[in-house]
DNA sequence: GTCTATAAGAAGATAGAC
DNA sequence: GTCTATCTTCTTATAGAC
């Protein structure tokens, strides 16, 4: 039905604008323009500008929970995962990093939401927490778990898994922030990403 | 004189507020309150709110140029530097990283300016360029030069200096963004920083 | 240089017709 | 559900006295 569609379109256009200019620089009339309606009509769908913002946060939270659930199924299936990680080589590791990077960078919803949180993270403690969880702590926790298995399998070698995990993820994080700010540097970033992972594998990989 | 003092205080308080809430969420009256004057008085010092923002950018730019000049003097004095880097050990490298980190994190002006740019980087291409230069490209260029000397001296070993530089700086950058958002995590970050550098030295240092 | 008073306009939100 | 008209409040900025 048309109602649901408009309601969703409002969230979508608002997120785009918020991610480019920040909440305070986006006016209700801007959102309405993009949706193709007048500002007052928008209030039939959401009771305030803040309610639109809250709905975006809630929607992302739902996506995040689904995602976490999906990852946990894999993550807890240790026996299956162990088999995967046992034979992992440089190319598989490069693939893993590129997939992670591509998902974070090219999933349009993920990208816009991250940019929005980048802008809003200092204004509200709760938004800061979401940013930290989403783009720092959870990726580190998940990858740390994965690398833990790989170390247990003898595919990677280290006496400090948390630092190894940061050595893997921090460059990816930094390249991501570069691309968010300057999309034209994506090719350069992708090249550095691959070189980073190859070198990571060389430094931490099992020595034959 | 009082004039200069008030004019400077306006920049200082404005920067604090901009770094916490972003330009659009700070009202001229907020700045005036912090300074201890009424909003209209502020217009005797700056012709507009935007002019205050511009003055902050200009002031940082001046500081940046001075800093770059200072670094170039050292950077170009290759003979003296070579001597320094020749004997550098793990402790010196840890010290180097801690100093870099402490400067970026604890210099109040640097910290507030970085947070402000973090918020504003997507709104204006020029501000994005300043961010990229200040917190990504220049640190990488400077450290890349330094590591180049160390590789030439045989203190560090790699066939890819840019990637090695990212391996050194990206974790520092990520820890910095964590502390900007959650200052209470500074001790944790400092611990990771030291472990990171020790492992970096272990991975890239000359093998005896 | 600082103040009070006030203008000018922007932005969020509501009322009520269709 | 969308519109036009309108209200209210907030925010930047100016005028002019001290």
């Amino acid at each position: 039905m048309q109602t649901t569609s408009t309601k969703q379109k409002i969230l979508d256009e608002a997120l785009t604008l918020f991610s480019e200019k920040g909440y305070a620089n986006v006016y209700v009339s801007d959102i309405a323009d993009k949706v193709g309606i007048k500002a007052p009509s928008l209030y039939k769908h959401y009771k305030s500008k803040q309610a639109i913002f809250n709905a975006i946060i809630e929607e992302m939270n739902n996506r995040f929970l689904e995602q976490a659930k999906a990852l946990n199924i894999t993550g807890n299936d240790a026996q299956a995962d162990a088999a995967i990680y046992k034979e992992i080589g440089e190319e598989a590791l490069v693939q893993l990093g590129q997939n992670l990077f591509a998902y974070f960078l090219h999933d349009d919803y993920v990208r816009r939401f991250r940019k929005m949180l980048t802008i809003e993270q200092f204004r509200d403690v709760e938004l800061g927490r979401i940013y930290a969880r989403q783009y720092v702590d959870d990726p580190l926790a998940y990858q740390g778990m994965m690398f833990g298995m790989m170390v247990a399998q003898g595919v990677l070698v280290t006496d400090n898994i948390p630092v190894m995990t940061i050595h893997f993820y921090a460059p990816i994080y930094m390249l991501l922030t570069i691309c968010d700010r300057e999309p034209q540097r994506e090719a350069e970033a992708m090249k550095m990403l691959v070189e980073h992972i190859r070198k990571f594998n060389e430094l931490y990989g099992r020595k034959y």
Side-chain angles (χ1 to χ4, degrees), chain A:
Chain A
M1 52 184 162
Q2 194 63 29
T3 304
T4 309
S5 179
T6 300
K7 191 159 185 171
Q8 189 56 43
K9 183 137 200 256
I10 290 168
L11 289 193
D12 190 59
E13 298 294 350
L15 177 55
T16 300
L17 289 166
F18 291 158
S19 73
E20 289 165 350
K21 317 206 272 182
Y23 180 83
N25 289 304
V26 174
Y27 313 133
V28 173
S29 57
D30 295 337
I31 303 170
D33 282 355
K34 291 275 188 183
V35 174
I37 57 178
K38 299 293 180 184
S41 307
L42 200 142
Y43 287 87
K44 296 289 180 183
H45 301 280
Y46 295 95
K47 104 172 212 297
S48 67
K49 183 186 172 187
Q50 185 62 48
I52 297 173
F53 184 85
N54 294 345
I56 292 171
I57 298 287
E58 201 194 327
E59 189 183 17
M60 188 64 206
N61 206 44
N62 291 339
R63 290 195 188 213
F64 168 74
L65 289 175
E66 282 172 36
Q67 180 191 301
K69 207 162 61 181
L71 286 179
N72 267 337
I73 289 166
T74 314
N76 288 333
D77 195 354
Q79 237 173 353
D81 281 349
I84 296 167
Y85 299 132
K86 196 168 186 174
E87 298 302 332
I88 201 164
E90 179 177 283
E91 290 316 314
L93 205 62
V94 168
Q95 204 59 57
L96 186 84
Q98 279 186 313
N99 288 349
L100 185 75
F101 192 73
Y103 169 70
F104 269 88
L105 188 62
H106 290 144
D107 183 298
D108 219 47
Y109 198 86
V110 168
R111 201 197 80 252
R112 286 179 294 164
F113 192 81
R114 182 179 58 247
K115 288 183 69 172
M116 185 180 83
L117 278 189
T118 301
I119 298 172
E120 309 297 343
Q121 64 181 322
F122 302 133
R123 224 192 16 154
D124 181 309
V125 181
E126 182 54 30
L127 296 177
R129 275 204 213 97
I130 296 174
Y131 184 104
R133 189 184 63 181
Q134 197 90 320
Y135 310 118
V136 179
D137 297 322
D138 276 359
L140 286 177
Y142 179 68
Q143 286 164 43
M145 179 201 75
M146 217 181 53
F147 285 142
M149 292 187 203
M150 291 166 76
V151 168
Q153 292 290 334
V155 179
L156 297 178
V157 181
T158 188
D159 58 359
N160 193 332
I161 291 173
V163 163
M164 181 176 75
T165 308
I166 282 182
H167 280 172
F168 183 77
Y169 182 63
I172 295 175
Y173 175 78
M174 196 178 79
L175 291 171
L176 210 50
T177 67
I178 291 172
C179 292
D180 278 343
R181 185 170 42 244
E182 301 163 283
Q184 75 279 9
R185 289 175 73 173
E186 192 182 317
E188 170 203 340
M190 198 54 97
K191 183 169 163 290
M192 284 308 296
L193 175 74
V194 171
E195 290 185 29
H196 151 55
I197 297 174
R198 290 197 194 288
K199 183 57 79 175
F200 174 89
N201 186 57
E202 190 184 317
L203 293 169
Y204 279 112
R206 173 172 39 203
K207 307 295 187 295
Y208 294 95

